[in-house]
Amino acid sequence: ACHFKDGRGRPPLSDDESFEGLLLRLSIGTTGANEEPIPDPKYGGQLQPFSILDVPAEGYPTVSYEEIPGTYPDGTSYTLLQPTYQITELAYGALHEDIQISPRVAPAVIGLGLLEAIPEERLLELADPEDTDGDGISGRVIYVPDVENGGVAVGRFGWKNKQPSVRQQSAGAFLGDVGITSSIFSEQNCTESQTECADAIGGGEPELEDHLLDRVEAYTSLLAVPVRTEYDSKTILRGKTHFHDVGCADCHTPRHQTATDAKFAELEDQTIFPYTDLLLHDMGDGLSDGRPVFGADANEWRTPPLWGIRFIEDVNGHDRLLHDGRARGIEEAILWHGGEGESSRDAFMTLAADEREELVAFVNSL
């Protein structure tokens, strides 16, 4: 339901549609720097709008949008959508007074093993947390708990790089999104207020056996990335030039080489073109969710890979982008860029209309 056909989720497109490809994280602050957010005492760290028999759903989320008008320097007008989230029909009383609500759209799950196989040294090479080169780009690596192996590891997955591996990301989704425990996350997702949840019959300890998690890890690690087809057309090549000229490639790094000792032999020593640096960047107040996670600030987001983006509409029937699906297509996603992405956004806006179309066409070819 979230990653339909291994693709990308979206927010509801009508008032009567449920939240299937979009979830809401909940927290009331953190215990300190580089710490996991403190969950809501009644509802935990993620709203559960669905439930099993005889267990109440936690609440009913809705989203509404305000249209924000804007104009390009050449006089062309546009509008952006600013979302507002509400939760009604709360089963256990009011949310905490300091509640922080952060939406997360389910991303496509292609190429994840290849991203995990990019050497840590490559990410550190790309990182520039103090912006020592003065280009306005200060991508950061963060280290997050490696729950299964102990210690910490570089964060790679999730909208704020909360998870270090495909395996841990998958186990986290099993628990948070579906309510299924594993050897990595073995505690049921029930707060003290949720007695029906705590008393419900479980499916084993853990519910997801390791050999099944192994299969899910293999499947999601080895899903192939679609081959590009229109890479050599003149329009696409002009758009590629604009993409680099306005600075998009400064964060959406085109090319990487995977490690020679990847977890799966099929992923070793490959040249890949995911168009991401896998780093955290400050994207400005406009995209802030007001919710820090471990070392990631409220304004920071991982650069999303662009490979396969051309198939979202065909596979999933929509064009909604960014972490909460507010952007209707690539152009609006660019226009939402602030912070470290502001200069690229402004450079995009100053392009001629046909040049903007060519840049968008290039991204749509990936």
Side-chain angles (χ1 to χ4, degrees):
C2 294
H3 308 278
F4 184 64
K5 294 184 178 179
D6 302 316
R8 181 183 173 87
R10 60 166 174 77
L13 301 183
S14 63
D15 292 340
D16 59 352
E17 189 177 358
S18 61
F19 276 49
E20 289 190 355
L22 174 70
L23 61 86
L24 298 181
R25 300 273 191 229
L26 306 174
S27 58
I28 56 172
T30 62
T31 56
N34 300 323
E35 297 292 335
E36 188 166 11
I38 302 170
D40 181 272
K42 295 178 180 177
Y43 295 96
Q46 180 174 323
L47 182 74
Q48 307 292 343
F50 304 103
S51 63
I52 61 174
L53 189 65
D54 297 327
V55 176
E58 291 181 350
Y60 182 75
T62 59
V63 58
S64 58
Y65 295 96
E66 174 191 0
E67 290 217 19
I68 302 174
T71 306
Y72 285 100
D74 64 8
T76 304
S77 60
Y78 63 84
T79 60
L80 302 177
L81 297 181
Q82 174 71 57
T84 299
Y85 296 90
Q86 290 186 321
I87 304 172
T88 59
E89 302 178 27
L90 290 161
Y92 305 102
L95 292 160
H96 192 277
E97 60 182 3
D98 297 324
I99 193 67
Q100 299 166 332
I101 300 174
S102 180
R104 298 281 196 278
V105 161
V109 291
I110 57 171
L112 299 185
L114 291 168
L115 297 179
E116 186 171 349
I118 298 173
E120 179 180 338
E121 293 75 19
R122 169 63 168 165
L123 305 185
L124 294 173
E125 171 192 321
L126 294 171
D128 185 16
E130 304 300 327
D131 191 21
T132 55
D133 61 6
D135 66 352
I137 307 298
S138 52
R140 296 198 303 120
V141 167
I142 61 168
Y143 290 88
V144 297
D146 186 339
V147 179
E148 186 172 33
N149 301 309
V152 296
V154 61
R156 296 172 185 262
F157 299 107
W159 285 100
K160 288 184 180 286
N161 276 349
K162 180 182 177 181
Q163 304 290 8
S165 65
V166 172
R167 187 177 183 84
Q168 187 165 310
Q169 171 71 23
S170 300
F174 267 111
L175 182 65
D177 303 346
V178 198
I180 295 176
T181 60
S182 65
S183 59
I184 298 178
F185 298 109
S186 58
E187 296 294 323
Q188 291 285 354
N189 196 7
C190 309
T191 67
E192 291 183 2
S193 301
Q194 300 175 2
T195 55
E196 298 95 339
C197 176
D199 293 340
I201 297 174
E205 295 183 2
E207 294 167 323
L208 182 71
E209 297 176 3
D210 276 347
H211 76 278
L212 297 177
L213 181 57
D214 291 344
R215 294 179 183 180
V216 171
E217 178 188 18
Y219 177 75
T220 51
S221 294
L222 298 175
L223 276 171
V225 178
V227 175
R228 292 187 65 197
T229 55
E230 298 182 8
Y231 55 87
D232 57 352
S233 81
K234 292 182 179 180
T235 296
I236 298 304
L237 291 174
R238 287 194 297 268
K240 180 180 181 179
T241 298
H242 304 321
F243 183 87
H244 285 264
D245 287 346
V246 304
C248 299
D250 292 344
C251 299
H252 291 282
T253 306
R255 183 179 183 274
H256 299 278
Q257 191 78 14
T258 64
T260 56
D261 58 349
K263 188 164 189 177
F264 295 91
E266 297 88 342
L267 308 175
E268 293 177 351
D269 199 22
Q270 289 197 35
T271 302
I272 60 173
F273 295 86
Y275 285 85
T276 176
D277 58 10
L278 287 183
L279 301 177
L280 291 172
H281 294 276
D282 183 340
M283 296 303 294
D285 293 340
L287 289 179
S288 175
D289 65 349
R291 183 179 181 271
V293 177
F294 292 119
D297 294 335
N299 288 20
E300 289 184 307
W301 301 95
R302 183 193 75 158
T303 306
L306 299 180
W307 56 9
I309 198 170
R310 74 183 189 277
F311 282 115
I312 293 175
E313 192 161 2
D314 288 340
V315 172
N316 298 120
H318 68 86
D319 62 354
R320 305 300 284 268
L321 299 174
L322 297 179
H323 68 280
D324 54 8
R326 70 176 68 185
R328 296 164 295 187
I330 291 164
E331 182 179 0
E332 288 189 18
I334 296 171
L335 293 174
W336 270 111
H337 281 51
E340 295 174 47
E342 184 174 353
S343 61
S344 292
R345 178 202 66 196
D346 291 347
F348 170 78
M349 294 183 69
T350 60
L351 294 174
D354 60 337
E355 293 173 329
R356 297 196 299 268
E357 292 173 0
E358 289 166 347
L359 190 154
V360 170
F362 165 70
V363 177
N364 265 326
S365 75
L366 296 176

